Amino acid sequence: MAGRVLELRVHGVSNTPPAQVLGLAPQPGDDAPRPWLVAGDEVTGFYRSTAARPDDSVTVEAYSWGQLTSGARTARDVERALWTLLLPFTLANVALHARPGIPPDPGQERWGSRSGITAWLIRLFCLSLTGTLILAATGIGVDLVAWQCVDDDCLGRIPGPWEFLAHGWWREDAHALAAGLGIPLVLLMLLGLLAWRTYQYEAEMPAAPATDASAQDAEAANPLQDHTFWCGEGQLRRAGVLHLCVGAAVAAAVPLGAVIAMDPPLGVRAAIAWPTVGLLVAVVTIAVVALGRPWLSRRAGDTPLGAWSVTVIALTCAGVTGTVLLLLLPDGPAGTPLAELRPPAGCLRDPATAGCAVDHSLPGYDWIIAWYGTGQVLLLAAIASVSRSGRRALAAPVTAAVLLPLGVAWIAGWLPATPPAPQRLDGWMLSVPAIALAGIGLLLPRTGPAAPAENREPHTDLGWGGRGPAVIAGFGWLLGIAYCSGVLYWVTARLTDGAPSDDRIGVVPPLPVMWAGLAFAVAVLALAGLALRAGLLFHRLRREEYARLVPEDNTLSAHDRRRCRDVSAFRALHRLVGEHAVRLVGWYAAVGALLGTLGSAAALSHLPPDAATVTGWPMVVKTVADIGDALLGWLPVAIATVGLLVYRNDTVRRSVGVFWDIGTFWPRAAHPLAPPSYAERAVPELQTRTAGLLALGEHDPHRVDGIILSGHSQGTLICAAVILQLPARWRRRIWFFSYGCQLTRLYGRIFPAYFGPDRLPTLTEALRGPSAWPGWTNFWRDTDPLGWQVTAGERDLPVRDPDALHPTGGEVADPPIRNHSGYPDAAEFRRERARVTWLLRRPVPAPREGVD
């Protein structure tokens, strides 16, 4: 007897309502079919039409996962909007999955291998990115508030009772710095609380990873087949401990280092200071080493924190306690009391007060930021070099990282038995040559798994020449720098009543922040230039497509010519994204690399951007820098607003949700403080639903004998991950429909270890049926800007769009141009579903009985 077939549809990024996924058009009357929940809950549920009957040969079911990212219009939208402020962490985490050459079995990856070193460098960069955020918070609390705000006029502008820092005991010595240290520590507590809540968010799916060999294939051919890929709560917690503890160490190091440099400790102060330095150094050292160890780099389900995590927590608490004790002690015999090194009171009321025109920011803070950013640039160069050319390319960035501080020490006269440096040579002049030296590794030939294969389909080569992890992480770094600089500038403006940088009087922002404003203004101009280039390409492609649609004799009517212009626009967009988008992003990444290099040199120069010695056009540069600083001040607010609209406005959701859902699809294997991965719940749920229905007994009324996993856009990725996680005994009863699919042109180029030309055929082989026919059909349109052929051995079916240029069959409206939507309504889709249904309804066991 023929069996029943279930078409299980998985929507894309737009959080399509279940009724629309099921194709239930609104109709008048109370008896119109509506979706009803058959499994799951309101967050992630499986829906069927109320008109569905048990004896239907094909039943359509919709899996709705969009609430995990879009959500309902509730108070939780505010929390989710704040997740967008963690976008730099998201991009850094995605970079880990963009590595080429990840072994099919992640458990076989070794630290010294190409992918292992790249993974360690990326995790190290993620750790530094957390430090960037904490450095900014420390700058606000320790430098701007506790050090530079010295009177009630300044402290009164801060919410809360901060005026006590201007009086009595708190005004003396370095006592105020201990209070200012509370701001970054509170931020770390909030990050830890948010991370803990998001770990629970991902753990809502109760299914544990399968560990028995019978549930998995004998030999993995794709990392997505790893049974722990979507189950890493223990890894997240351990990595979260390291990030939070290193963040606390970075926060404590700023006031601790400044006080030690200004007032060398003796006696009791030395007995507290140097052990505290040792504790903080031990925390950072353990974290750097642990990032490459299996207990942190492997995902192993819900595992305990372990002894090392407890040790790091204890060392961090002791280091922070020692820092606070040192700050609360009286000054040592430094000669000049620390309180006298702070700005004089009354500068905001009377700028002519003696000493107000001198920069009184926290000594060493500008230096820390500048060198920290330069180190991150060198780290990104190392990531790109190793990812592209293997371990041999690491020599150039390592050499640069060693020579740069040695050169600065030589100029400062700290190296014995060396000739004196030229008088005009300054340390910042060495940064550009050093970064250029590190960049040599980016130009070495591609090797190993990153090398292009012969006879590859056009526009499917490795994205950005194998430098993808550095490109993605670099954008996260630039965005993080922009966030932090904007917040520092905004706080400075509030403390000085809107004019923080005029004549550098009163509270002044760090010098690198001023250069960041100039760089941001240039980056915005470069983005405008990139948009112009994309517009010109689109115009050229549209003309080409229009010429293909209109015959040479141009006998079409005016109406049909207008329709041809509309169709050619969508076809041009299809080609623009598929053929040019990755390259355009690469050009912008090159601009970002240049800005990062020049910005590092400028930050190390200790000169403001309006200095005449820098450009000769001080007023022009100052104006551009001020505009950039003002834009940076509003950037975090703008990003959070867009994030809120993503969750509440469908139009904004469709526009920017693609990027958000790409980032949060991947599990947090590199940065534990990034927003949660919706796939860590969606994939196990869909896997459980699929296997559960196929495992029902023969006489169970809910039993199905075959399932068509039907994925649209981002749902294609979810379905692919589910299929690769399922045992072979269930895969032989599944057929895969993909439409609006980006597996080749985008995901295959950016994430080659999962969807590259060498790994994607694993999915085809997993679904291959008897007589070698593939169990995968891909639908695509040449008007779909996000859907292309897959070319991985599957069955590709082009879908005509529109059906005609003018009304047909008695209709009076033009057939719609559906581009990225409406695939199940197409005639090609319905015919293919009928054919696949017939194949899946054949008596079981089918000719696949040799597969187990």
Side-chain angles (χ1 to χ4, degrees):
M1 177 178 178
R4 297 171 56 223
V5 173
L6 173 70
E7 182 192 352
L8 184 50
R9 294 180 182 175
V10 184
H11 64 78
V13 301
S14 298
N15 191 21
T16 310
Q20 187 175 343
V21 176
L22 294 171
L24 304 180
Q27 297 178 1
D30 296 333
D31 57 346
R34 297 178 181 179
W36 61 287
L37 186 67
V38 296
D41 53 32
E42 294 181 354
V43 178
T44 54
F46 296 83
Y47 295 84
R48 295 185 185 180
S49 170
T50 53
R53 295 176 299 177
D55 57 344
D56 288 341
S57 59
V58 179
T59 302
V60 180
E61 184 172 291
Y63 175 57
S64 178
W65 57 270
Q67 296 283 350
L68 294 174
T69 55
S70 295
R73 290 167 172 81
T74 63
R76 194 175 183 185
D77 286 355
V78 177
E79 177 184 345
R80 287 167 167 162
L82 294 177
W83 286 351
T84 59
L85 295 177
L86 302 178
L87 185 57
F89 297 166
T90 302
L91 294 174
N93 182 74
V94 171
L96 182 76
H97 301 282
R99 293 172 293 145
I102 302 175
D105 183 2
Q108 298 178 353
E109 185 177 66
R110 297 296 177 262
W111 182 90
S113 65
R114 171 207 196 101
S115 60
I117 293 178
T118 307
W120 178 70
L121 292 173
I122 292 173
R123 289 191 172 97
L124 187 60
F125 173 80
C126 290
L127 191 66
S128 74
L129 205 59
T130 300
T132 300
L133 176 64
I134 300 306
L135 270 179
T138 307
I140 295 172
V142 175
D143 180 22
L144 299 182
V145 174
W147 184 260
Q148 296 191 53
C149 266
V150 295
D151 53 27
D152 293 338
D153 288 339
C154 179
L155 293 169
R157 296 189 174 100
I158 309 173
W162 290 91
E163 290 87 345
F164 72 93
L165 295 177
H167 306 285
W169 182 80
W170 288 103
R171 180 68 176 82
E172 301 171 355
D173 305 324
H175 302 158
L177 300 185
L181 188 60
I183 290 182
L185 295 180
V186 169
L187 175 61
L188 283 170
M189 293 176 59
L190 293 176
L191 285 176
L193 177 62
L194 179 62
W196 181 81
R197 291 188 63 184
T198 58
Y199 300 160
Q200 310 309 309
Y201 169 96
E202 291 173 344
E204 289 180 6
M205 180 59 199
T211 56
D212 60 301
S214 62
Q216 300 295 321
D217 292 334
E219 183 178 354
N222 191 302
L224 285 174
Q225 293 175 291
D226 179 21
H227 64 276
T228 63
F229 192 87
W230 304 105
C231 306
E233 303 98 296
Q235 180 197 44
L236 284 176
R237 294 189 182 97
R238 293 191 297 270
V241 166
L242 289 185
H243 277 249
L244 295 175
C245 289
V246 170
V250 169
V254 173
L256 178 66
V259 170
I260 289 177
M262 293 184 297
D263 185 13
L266 296 173
V268 177
R269 289 169 55 82
I272 295 177
W274 299 120
T276 299
V277 171
L279 291 171
L280 299 180
V281 170
V283 170
V284 176
T285 303
I286 292 175
V288 169
V289 174
L291 292 178
R293 304 305 300 163
W295 67 273
L296 187 66
S297 60
R298 301 288 184 269
R299 297 174 68 79
D302 187 10
T303 54
L305 289 178
W308 278 108
S309 297
V310 176
T311 301
V312 172
I313 294 173
L315 292 176
T316 303
C317 293
V320 172
T321 301
T323 301
V324 173
L325 287 176
L326 182 66
L327 297 177
L328 295 179
L329 287 177
D331 288 347
T336 303
L338 295 180
E340 296 184 9
L341 298 177
R342 300 172 66 186
C347 287
L348 295 180
R349 292 191 307 269
D350 184 10
T353 303
C356 287
V358 180
D359 186 353
H360 287 283
S361 57
L362 184 69
Y365 183 64
D366 291 357
W367 179 86
I368 292 174
I369 294 179
W371 278 102
Y372 197 88
T374 303
Q376 288 178 313
V377 173
L378 293 174
L379 187 55
L380 287 172
I383 293 172
S385 300
V386 178
S387 174
R388 174 180 171 83
S389 305
R391 293 179 296 178
R392 62 172 184 167
L394 194 60
V398 169
T399 302
V402 172
L403 292 180
L404 180 57
L406 287 178
V408 173
W410 173 54
I411 293 174
W414 297 341
L415 295 181
T418 56
Q423 293 184 353
R424 292 199 167 197
L425 186 62
D426 203 347
W428 66 271
M429 300 178 183
L430 302 179
S431 59
V432 173
I435 296 176
L437 174 61
I440 292 177
L442 306 178
L443 305 178
L444 294 176
R446 285 163 53 185
T447 60
E454 296 181 359
N455 302 322
R456 181 164 293 175
E457 293 291 330
H459 312 296
T460 59
D461 192 14
L462 199 58
W464 306 306
R467 309 178 189 92
V471 171
I472 298 173
F475 280 125
W477 177 70
L478 291 174
L479 189 58
I481 293 294
Y483 274 3
C484 295
S485 300
V487 171
L488 283 167
Y489 182 90
W490 185 86
V491 172
T492 306
R494 301 291 79 75
L495 295 177
T496 56
D497 201 17
S501 60
D502 293 347
D503 301 322
R504 296 185 63 79
I505 293 175
V507 180
V508 296
L511 272 171
V513 171
M514 299 183 182
W515 285 108
L518 180 61
F520 184 72
V522 175
V524 171
L525 293 176
L527 185 61
L530 184 70
L532 178 61
R533 172 60 179 165
L536 294 175
L537 278 174
F538 173 75
H539 182 67
R540 176 174 64 82
L541 294 173
R542 185 174 60 179
R543 286 187 302 173
E544 293 177 1
E545 294 299 327
Y546 182 77
R548 294 177 183 177
L549 289 171
V550 177
E552 295 183 359
D553 54 2
N554 197 10
T555 56
L556 296 178
S557 65
H559 172 273
D560 287 352
R561 287 197 300 271
R562 177 187 61 79
R563 290 279 287 167
C564 286
R565 285 193 293 271
D566 295 339
V567 173
S568 63
F570 283 102
R571 290 188 177 182
L573 189 59
H574 171 84
R575 290 183 56 189
L576 177 66
V577 177
E579 300 174 10
H580 301 281
V582 174
R583 178 165 50 86
L584 291 174
V585 173
W587 287 356
Y588 194 67
V591 174
L594 180 61
L595 288 175
T597 301
L598 297 178
S600 298
L604 290 170
S605 67
H606 300 292
L607 293 173
D610 56 344
T613 57
V614 176
T615 64
W617 291 355
M619 292 305 298
V620 175
V621 174
K622 182 179 184 301
T623 301
V624 176
D626 288 344
I627 294 174
D629 285 332
L631 293 175
L632 281 177
W634 288 102
L635 180 63
V637 179
I639 294 294
T641 302
V642 171
L644 183 62
L645 291 177
V646 163
Y647 296 113
R648 299 182 64 87
N649 185 282
D650 293 337
T651 302
V652 179
R653 171 68 182 159
R654 285 190 293 268
S655 301
V656 302
V658 175
F659 303 100
W660 182 251
D661 284 352
I662 288 176
T664 54
F665 169 80
W666 298 101
R668 293 177 289 184
H671 205 304
L673 305 181
S677 165
Y678 62 87
E680 294 212 359
R681 180 173 176 182
V683 171
E685 278 194 349
L686 196 57
Q687 178 184 353
T688 302
R689 177 67 174 170
T690 302
L693 290 175
L694 293 175
L696 292 175
E698 182 177 356
H699 300 292
D700 194 297
H702 301 290
R703 171 186 170 85
V704 295
D705 290 307
I707 291 180
I708 301 175
L709 270 181
S710 181
H712 174 238
S713 190
Q714 191 73 10
T716 299
L717 268 77
I718 298 176
C719 291
V722 170
I723 291 169
L724 291 174
Q725 288 279 315
L726 285 172
R729 66 179 181 273
W730 302 132
R731 293 200 306 263
R732 64 183 180 181
R733 296 164 60 186
I734 291 176
W735 199 289
F736 182 28
F737 277 5
S738 59
Y739 38 98
C741 177
Q742 307 103 34
L743 287 178
T744 302
R745 294 290 179 93
L746 294 182
Y747 278 95
R749 303 185 66 185
I750 301 174
F751 306 102
Y754 304 95
F755 306 110
D758 301 328
R759 296 290 172 85
L760 194 56
T762 303
L763 185 60
T764 309
E765 293 300 322
L767 292 167
R768 192 168 296 281
S771 304
W773 44 260
W776 178 5
T777 304
N778 178 64
F779 304 88
W780 66 279
R781 297 187 180 116
D782 57 7
T783 57
D784 186 349
L786 294 174
W788 300 275
Q789 306 97 313
V790 174
T791 64
E794 82 300 339
R795 172 179 165 86
D796 265 316
L797 282 182
V799 177
R800 184 177 180 180
D801 188 43
D803 295 333
L805 293 178
H806 47 270
T808 58
E811 180 59 74
V812 295
D814 289 328
I817 303 174
R818 297 187 181 274
N819 57 83
H820 193 55
S821 62
Y823 277 93
D825 297 329
E828 295 87 347
F829 187 97
R830 293 195 297 268
R831 286 195 297 266
E832 180 67 7
R833 191 179 71 169
R835 185 186 76 89
V836 169
T837 300
W838 178 81
L839 289 173
L840 291 176
R841 293 179 65 195
R842 297 172 67 180
V844 179
R848 301 192 199 185
E849 59 187 3
V851 183
D852 54 28

